[in-house]
Amino acid sequence: MAHTVKQIAAALGAEAFGAVDLLIEGAAEPAMAGPTQIALAMDPKYGEGLAKGHARAAILWAGADWQELGLDAAIFVPRPRYAMSGLTTLLDAGPDIATGIHPSAIIDPSAHIGANAAIGPLVVIGRDVTIGDNARIAAHTVISEATVIGDDAMILQGVKIGARVQIGDRFIAQPGAVIGSDGFSFVTPEKSGVENVRETLGDQKDAKAQSWTRIHSLGTVEIANDVEIGANTAIDRGTIRATKIGRGTKLDNLVHIGHNIQIGEDCLICGQVGMAGSSTIGNRVVMAGQCGVNDNIFVGDDVIAGGATKIFTNAPAGRVLLGYPAMKMETHVEAYKGLRRLSRLFRDVADLKKAVSKPEQND
Amino acid sequence: MAHTVKQIAAALGAEAFGAVDLLIEGAAEPAMAGPTQIALAMDPKYGEGLAKGHARAAILWAGADWQELGLDAAIFVPRPRYAMSGLTTLLDAGPDIATGIHPSAIIDPSAHIGANAAIGPLVVIGRDVTIGDNARIAAHTVISEATVIGDDAMILQGVKIGARVQIGDRFIAQPGAVIGSDGFSFVTPEKSGVENVRETLGDQKDAKAQSWTRIHSLGTVEIANDVEIGANTAIDRGTIRATKIGRGTKLDNLVHIGHNIQIGEDCLICGQVGMAGSSTIGNRVVMAGQCGVNDNIFVGDDVIAGGATKIFTNAPAGRVLLGYPAMKMETHVEAYKGLRRLSRLFRDVADLKKAVSKPEQND
Amino acid sequence: MAHTVKQIAAALGAEAFGAVDLLIEGAAEPAMAGPTQIALAMDPKYGEGLAKGHARAAILWAGADWQELGLDAAIFVPRPRYAMSGLTTLLDAGPDIATGIHPSAIIDPSAHIGANAAIGPLVVIGRDVTIGDNARIAAHTVISEATVIGDDAMILQGVKIGARVQIGDRFIAQPGAVIGSDGFSFVTPEKSGVENVRETLGDQKDAKAQSWTRIHSLGTVEIANDVEIGANTAIDRGTIRATKIGRGTKLDNLVHIGHNIQIGEDCLICGQVGMAGSSTIGNRVVMAGQCGVNDNIFVGDDVIAGGATKIFTNAPAGRVLLGYPAMKMETHVEAYKGLRRLSRLFRDVADLKKAVSKPEQND
């Protein structure tokens, strides 16, 4: 579906110049752009690319001379990355799911599905499920008994949602995500080596050999409005209470959320982050890829953790973390600078020991 | 399904007091409990919650005065966490899969399925598969040719089990788990840079540019009794022999088990742990989330590894490990205490060098 | 399907001795081999196993006396691991998918599927999809609209391929792999704490509380010839341009490839590796399990990274890396040797400080 340059600018809350009625069918990097694509050149480094490509219109960096650049039309935006949000929302056609319910979908007669649904082939929807209006549910998704999902959901291929899960509006789930798997919770009849190690920080004591007994997960998962879950991510249900994901929080691919985890609002949890059971994460927390969160700890509001940070203990609000184990980012940078020069330090100390001991030998 | 307080106590091997015929329909945290739920208050810190909630019965900490707490009935247990196992087993209704075989399931006529099966919609079962009695197999599961599964299996949505896999009794697989994917095994016609690096610990030498050729996985996967596999976990088949998971071992979500791995009995392998090919893990090994195991190594019985421990070399039985690379937990705690103070040490040594060199200049 | 010893040797480009017309039905480890299996004994350490097993033929280490070992036939290979490739290719029967299209598959009439296809139960193929000749597509796979796949594809159970993806010849995808999920790309209306931390390496400044807005992924995924993708791995589509995987590159299980990533040719990316968005990986790069790659960096040709290496900054071609953060492997080995002895160094420095200050006190 095509949009005029003027419509695009309006959607971005930006100003358009030149041939603002030009029809645009898509977006492209400057050097790759065809004549019906708008070139994304929000930085002067893309100027050269514009010359190579065939765009007639572009979104440009502040101060660019669009006529000099050979363009027929231009849009200027104050915050380029934010403009990408508006632009891509406008141009995204979304997944191809026909309106209505595909005849191969298996939907329990007790399920309630709102208006204007598009439900793909081989979807399975269980007993007493409720789904709001405008749902788009792609092929091979399973939604289990008594689960409730709000309006405007987009659930992609092969998502598996367990029983009694509560999900808000505008939910997005990428392919293969699992919501409501059982928690990983096992116990031995008598005290285990692990329990002893936790108490002693290193000593198993004489725990005897035992097998693990399962603690079943009776709790569920509660997901607030405006949450997105990545591909093949898994979210376990709670043991008694619910595992919770707060409003506006986004989870990337292959994330592991253990049982009873409580995540606040507006968090970004990147690829392959893992959280052990029963920890609490504040609002606006950002965890880069492969971070780990210990069980039963607290991560405060506005914590930012760099790539692969392993958080073993409570993190106060606003802390910026990095490393294994997590340190303040500036401490980490300093410590690892030292670590790289450590062999030199050992040599220096050896020299010092010689220098200091020599005079005594000379006595 | 409701149980009396007396029945619950009996299931836990515990004593019940007061109105032991009270009917209980579920469990809840004390502050959230309704009148037909049993409150879980095994620690004095939950006393306050009991006053806020509406439970008439509770499982209490030793020494609690249940009448003083306003309860009509109480159960006392010696090991609260272990009691959780009995209680949740009793109260878990399990997944909603109708008894019998759903008409949309595609089951090869040569497959043998035991008595009392519940097989959900769109399940695919291949040629010569054998499944024991009481199987519960949820929607969208695939079980491939010549695989054998024991009695009492619970296989959740979208699990994919490959060909010729052998699985014991009481098997549980969470949604999206993959069992029997091909091993990641490739070789170059001539010696590769990786082979040289392994020999020299750092030098690629002059290995030439080559493409990778696939080693196919002819082996299978053997899983003993009482094993549980987490959501979206992947277990590769062996190259020639089988990848093996021992009796009573539990794997959490998003775990990666490479080809030829041999895991012993009663292990706990937590979320996102990864094991490269051909390593051997002993019995009762516990690995916290995000641990990694190198290929072709040996991890002894009763090893416990803390979060994100990366095990590069053989680990003796009973060792408690932490860190990247893995160290004894106490060594790790000590080493990282030092790492954080490293910049101070550099300053001290610089001062010492000045102090030691000064007298000589004064000579 | 059986092969003679002579046929196997020919497939390996190797020499056969003895009863070369012996029929072989499979391969086994020496101690487990039956009389119709060829024993794999390419190292003298397997000599003993041969005596325990019942193999009549073996692939042997150079210089072995096959008659002395009691064998009827033997094959000698110059590079045993490479021979495994030829042997396992010969003996792998492949997945059991009947030729033709299973009646339960749902294939859009506009899709074009090449000659000699084997398409399993409940496969869903969307509008305008093109698939080459000899495709083997297992149960529950979804291939979305306008995607193009080359010849000789083997796509296993439950793979989900998104819209408009381009894939070359001889593509292999293990169960549960997701190709073409949306990128994880979000932006705040005003500058966020994360943006400030990136600039200052640790300081959030006074970024205000904001919610995240989605940048949609308009780009796609391009996968060249001879690529293999592991079980439950997820590859995100690009934002504007395509995420790309080069010819001959192999990805293991549970790998996360972010949006816009460009991976070169002949790379090996092992289990649970994660790559944040927009980074570029050269040719013949090898990353061991659980490595991480920061966003917007460059990893040069022939880089080899050991297990769980976290690459935060550009890595020059040919570099051998290890550690968190990544160091040259030899620097890492040296640094961590020091780290383990750090508490001793602290004691030495404390002693030195005493020794150096004492004389002054004595003055």
Side-chain angles (χ1 to χ4, degrees), chain A residues 63-266:
Chain A
D65 182 337
W66 59 274
Q67 284 158 317
E68 180 78 9
L69 287 163
L71 295 164
D72 295 336
I75 296 173
F76 291 87
V77 292
R79 182 159 157 75
R81 201 171 149 72
Y82 191 63
M84 285 294 289
S85 170
L87 180 74
T88 58
T89 302
L90 197 69
L91 297 178
D92 186 4
D96 190 26
I97 313 172
T99 304
I101 295 174
H102 194 278
S104 66
I106 298 174
I107 300 185
D108 192 278
S110 65
H112 173 82
I113 294 168
N116 195 28
I119 296 187
L122 305 170
V123 167
V124 174
I125 296 181
R127 174 176 52 78
D128 294 329
V129 165
T130 299
I131 298 175
D133 293 346
N134 310 315
R136 288 174 292 166
I137 301 181
H140 281 271
T141 290
V142 183
I143 302 174
S144 304
E145 61 271 18
T147 280
V148 176
I149 301 177
D151 291 341
D152 304 308
M154 181 176 81
I155 302 178
L156 294 176
Q157 296 80 7
V159 169
K160 273 96 38 188
I161 303 179
R164 300 179 307 282
V165 170
Q166 301 277 332
I167 300 178
D169 293 338
R170 294 172 296 283
F171 177 64
I172 298 178
Q174 298 295 323
V178 171
I179 296 161
S181 36
D182 289 335
F184 193 69
S185 192
F186 297 91
V187 61
T188 45
E190 297 178 30
K191 212 167 181 184
S192 68
V194 174
E195 287 171 82
N196 289 333
V197 164
R198 279 171 175 270
E199 284 173 18
T200 61
L201 291 181
D203 186 358
Q204 301 207 33
K205 294 187 182 166
D206 55 352
K208 69 172 196 184
Q210 299 171 83
S211 292
W212 298 99
T213 301
R214 192 172 203 261
I215 296 177
H216 289 244
S217 297
L218 306 180
T220 178
V221 180
E222 292 175 20
I223 294 180
N225 290 337
D226 297 299
V227 168
E228 175 162 352
I229 308 293
N232 285 342
T233 278
I235 302 176
D236 282 350
R237 53 183 61 244
T239 307
I240 299 295
R241 66 175 188 266
T243 301
K244 289 187 186 174
I245 314 281
R247 182 199 49 72
T249 285
K250 320 294 185 186
L251 272 61
D252 198 356
N253 300 339
L254 294 161
V255 168
H256 164 60
I257 304 294
H259 57 280
N260 300 341
I261 288 280
Q262 314 284 304
I263 302 183
E265 304 189 342
D266 291 326

Side-chain angles (χ1 to χ4, degrees), chain A residues 26-29 32 40 79 81-97 102 104 121-122 139-140 154 156-158 160 172 174-176 228 231-232 247-254 266-272 284-286 290 301-304 306-310 318-320 322-324 329-330 332-333 336 339-340 342-343 345-346 349 352-353 356 360, chain C residues 104 106 122-124 127 140-142 144-145 160-162 164 176-178 180-195 197 201-204 208-218 232-236 239-241 254-257 272-275 290-293 309-310 312 324-327 331 334-339 341-342 345 348-349 352 355-356:
Chain A
E29 302 204 342
M32 316 283 283
L40 304 176
R79 182 159 157 75
R81 201 171 149 72
Y82 191 63
M84 285 294 289
S85 170
L87 180 74
T88 58
T89 302
L90 197 69
L91 297 178
D92 186 4
D96 190 26
I97 313 172
H102 194 278
S104 66
L122 305 170
H140 281 271
M154 181 176 81
L156 294 176
Q157 296 80 7
K160 273 96 38 188
I172 298 178
Q174 298 295 323
E228 175 162 352
N232 285 342
R247 182 199 49 72
T249 285
K250 320 294 185 186
L251 272 61
D252 198 356
N253 300 339
L254 294 161
D266 291 326
C267 296
L268 278 194
I269 307 298
C270 296
Q272 297 177 323
R284 298 173 304 280
V285 170
V286 176
Q290 301 186 331
D301 290 346
D302 299 296
V303 164
I304 296 179
T309 297
K310 307 302 178 189
R319 186 58 58 89
V320 180
L322 189 63
Y324 173 0
M329 192 176 280
E330 56 205 46
H332 186 271
V333 169
Y336 280 78
L339 184 62
R340 282 191 173 84
L342 201 52
S343 50
L345 192 67
F346 272 93
V349 172
L352 278 167
K353 283 164 75 172
V356 169
E360 293 174 3
Chain C
S104 66
I106 298 174
L122 305 168
V123 167
V124 173
R127 172 177 53 78
H140 281 269
T141 290
V142 182
S144 304
E145 61 272 18
K160 274 91 46 183
I161 303 180
R164 300 179 306 282
V178 171
S181 36
D182 288 336
F184 194 70
S185 192
F186 296 91
V187 61
T188 44
E190 297 178 31
K191 212 167 182 183
S192 67
V194 175
E195 288 171 83
V197 164
L201 290 180
D203 187 358
Q204 300 207 35
K208 70 170 196 186
Q210 300 173 81
S211 291
W212 299 98
T213 301
R214 191 172 204 261
I215 295 177
H216 289 243
S217 297
L218 306 179
N232 285 341
T233 278
I235 302 176
D236 281 351
T239 308
I240 299 296
R241 67 175 188 268
L254 294 160
V255 168
H256 164 60
I257 303 294
Q272 298 177 323
V273 166
M275 302 190 189
Q290 302 186 330
C291 282
V293 177
T309 297
K310 309 300 180 189
F312 284 88
Y324 173 0
M327 306 175 195
T331 310
E334 200 59 36
Y336 279 78
K337 209 183 286 175
L339 184 63
R341 296 184 297 144
L342 202 51
L345 192 67
D348 285 355
V349 171
L352 278 168
V356 168

Side-chain angles (χ1 to χ4, degrees), chain B residues 318-332:
Chain B
R319 186 58 59 88
V320 180
L321 295 170
L322 189 64
Y324 174 178
M327 305 177 197
K328 285 173 75 166
M329 192 176 279
E330 56 204 46
T331 309
H332 186 271

